[in-house]
């Protein structure tokens, strides 16, 4: 679970560039991170449900075919995606980060 949490965090804020996570696969990861960690009670108060976090990360780890709805913070858009698709997005985004880091280290 730590591996996925770590990858998701870095994949959502690459090199401090806020726009990096606003398109394509990376936007899905940003929405997933919000779904996972930014839960609210009906009153609007923050809520941390560890069972939700563990269950969701386990489904991501397994690449479950189950679909989920991800909503933007302003609730103006919603996307339906499977855990398997999210896992692929996460692996791809983290690979991009590693390639950029290696390219920077080599120069």
């Amino acid at each position: 679970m730590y591996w996925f949490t770590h990858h998701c965090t870095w994949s959502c804020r690459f090199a401090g560039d806020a726009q990096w996570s606003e398109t394509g696969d990376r936007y899905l990861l940003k929405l997933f991170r919000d779904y996972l960690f930014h839960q609210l009670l009906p009153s609007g108060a923050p809520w941390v449900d560890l069972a939700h976090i563990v269950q969701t990360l386990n489904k991501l780890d397994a690449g479950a075919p189950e679909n989920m709805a991800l909503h933007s913070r302003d609730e103006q858009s919603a996307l339906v995606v499977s855990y398997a698709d999210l896992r692929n997005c996460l692996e791809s985004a983290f690979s991009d980060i590693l390639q950029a880091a290696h390219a920077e280290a080599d120069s």
Side-chain angles (χ1 to χ4, degrees), residues 26-63:
R26 297 175 299 261
Y27 185 64
L28 289 174
L29 294 176
K30 179 180 176 180
L31 295 179
F32 177 71
R33 181 199 60 199
D34 288 350
Y35 170 78
L36 193 61
F37 295 113
H38 297 200
Q39 302 163 46
L40 299 174
L41 293 173
S43 66
W47 172 255
V48 176
D49 181 356
L50 293 178
H52 165 76
I53 293 170
V54 170
Q55 181 181 31
T56 302
L57 287 175
N58 282 337
K59 289 178 182 180
L60 180 66
D61 185 21

Side-chain angles (χ1 to χ4, degrees), residues 1 7 9-12 17 19 22 32 34 38-39 48-49 52 70 78 80-82 87-89 92 97 103:
M1 272 193 307
H7 280 53
T9 300
W10 279 102
S11 296
C12 289
D17 181 1
Q19 293 303 312
E22 294 299 320
F32 177 71
D34 288 350
H38 297 200
Q39 302 163 46
V48 176
D49 181 356
H52 165 76
L70 301 175
V80 177
V81 64
S82 72
R87 182 184 170 117
N88 291 336
C89 292
S92 175
I97 292 170

